[in-house]
Amino acid sequence: MAESAGSVMLARSAMNRAATEGQRPAGRPVRGARRISAALAGLAASTRHELLTFDDPVASEGFAIPEPFLELAGACMRAAVERAEEVRRIVPRHALPRLEDGLRFPGRARLAEAIPFKMIVVDRTVAAVPLDLELLYNGLLLIRDPVVVQALVRAHHAFWAAGEELTCPAPSPPPPCDLPPQLRPVLDALLSGVTDETAAARLGMSARTYSRRVGELMAALGTTSRFRAGAEAARRGWV
């Protein structure tokens, strides 16, 4: 596991650079529930070929994380998994009792004795790692530096080679995609994390018209919560 240890050290070094003034970071820190949600939705929407993750489904237990955020994060992950041609998920052994639902994801999963941190790597071009290495809700680092991303990919491959294969049953089919076309730009703006005023200006709408379209979108999704709207949109394959 020397290769994985070296890759983990490189990733930690990148996060240290991101927090050090006067040095160019290897990634962009993202903080705040709305911006983090937008970043996760963006990762899900950009996934095309491969999704690699270190995932601990029980890491958030005992922390006061809003349920809508957890729902949105889970929905974004499911959307990314459904888009990817190849999915490899590594989870720690202590999470095994909680994996029954998680194993419904398509793709492959393996157990490791432990994972170094939570991580998402999309198409070997961009990675997301929690700033505290534990919880995405506390902030994440979006990494596009090709050297660091490659180090993370190598770390994942080393853990994967040493892991224990888990069998994932076939998932149920996603709901049909029937987003009204006039609401697509509104959904994109909502997921981008910008203010309503900025979104309305970008779309060339009055604030009142934009507010009405957001209401229509919420009604179509069957919710009054913007967090839950994002989660439901991801669940339906609209992002």
Side-chain angles (χ1 to χ4, degrees):
M1 299 295 287
E3 182 182 13
S4 63
S7 302
V8 169
M9 289 178 63
L10 181 55
R12 290 178 186 268
S13 175
M15 284 181 282
N16 288 337
R17 293 202 307 274
T20 302
E21 294 184 359
Q23 296 186 19
R24 181 181 178 183
R28 176 171 64 88
V30 179
R31 297 181 176 87
R34 174 179 285 192
R35 294 185 181 279
I36 295 168
S37 299
L40 293 175
L43 286 172
S46 68
T47 303
R48 293 293 180 271
H49 307 294
E50 182 185 64
L51 183 69
L52 307 177
T53 69
F54 286 133
D55 187 22
D56 185 350
V58 302
S60 60
E61 291 184 353
F63 293 90
I65 300 177
E67 189 64 29
F69 179 87
L70 294 175
E71 291 177 3
L72 175 59
C76 287
M77 178 59 67
R78 286 189 291 273
V81 164
E82 289 166 0
R83 290 172 180 269
E85 298 170 0
E86 175 79 9
V87 177
R88 295 190 177 189
R89 181 182 179 211
I90 298 175
V91 295
R93 188 171 298 277
H94 71 254
L96 185 58
R98 296 292 303 277
L99 286 179
E100 181 177 355
D101 291 338
L103 289 178
R104 300 180 191 277
F105 284 180
R108 299 170 65 189
R110 288 189 179 181
L111 278 179
E113 291 304 318
I115 59 174
F117 40 71
K118 296 191 72 171
M119 178 187 77
I120 302 168
V121 180
V122 172
D123 294 341
R124 305 194 185 193
T125 59
V126 58
V129 177
L131 289 174
D132 63 2
L133 304 183
E134 299 292 339
L135 299 174
L136 291 171
Y137 183 73
N138 292 337
L140 59 84
L141 186 68
L142 279 179
I143 303 171
R144 298 184 185 276
D145 185 301
V147 174
V148 179
V149 172
Q150 184 60 26
L152 292 171
V153 170
R154 288 186 178 184
H156 191 279
H157 283 182
F159 275 82
W160 183 263
E164 176 184 338
E165 190 83 19
L166 293 173
T167 302
C168 304
S172 57
C177 180
D178 55 357
L179 174 66
Q182 73 273 17
L183 297 182
R184 163 55 62 186
V186 178
L187 175 60
D188 292 342
L190 199 66
L191 292 175
S192 73
V194 300
T195 64
D196 286 3
E197 292 78 7
T198 300
R202 287 181 180 177
L203 297 177
M205 300 178 182
S206 68
R208 179 176 297 181
T209 299
Y210 180 76
S211 179
R212 185 174 69 250
R213 291 288 174 84
V214 170
E216 293 172 5
L217 177 63
M218 297 290 194
L221 292 167
T223 182
T224 58
S225 163
R226 294 195 178 198
F227 269 123
R228 287 196 168 89
E232 179 62 19
R235 188 184 72 82
R236 297 186 184 196
W238 292 359
V239 297

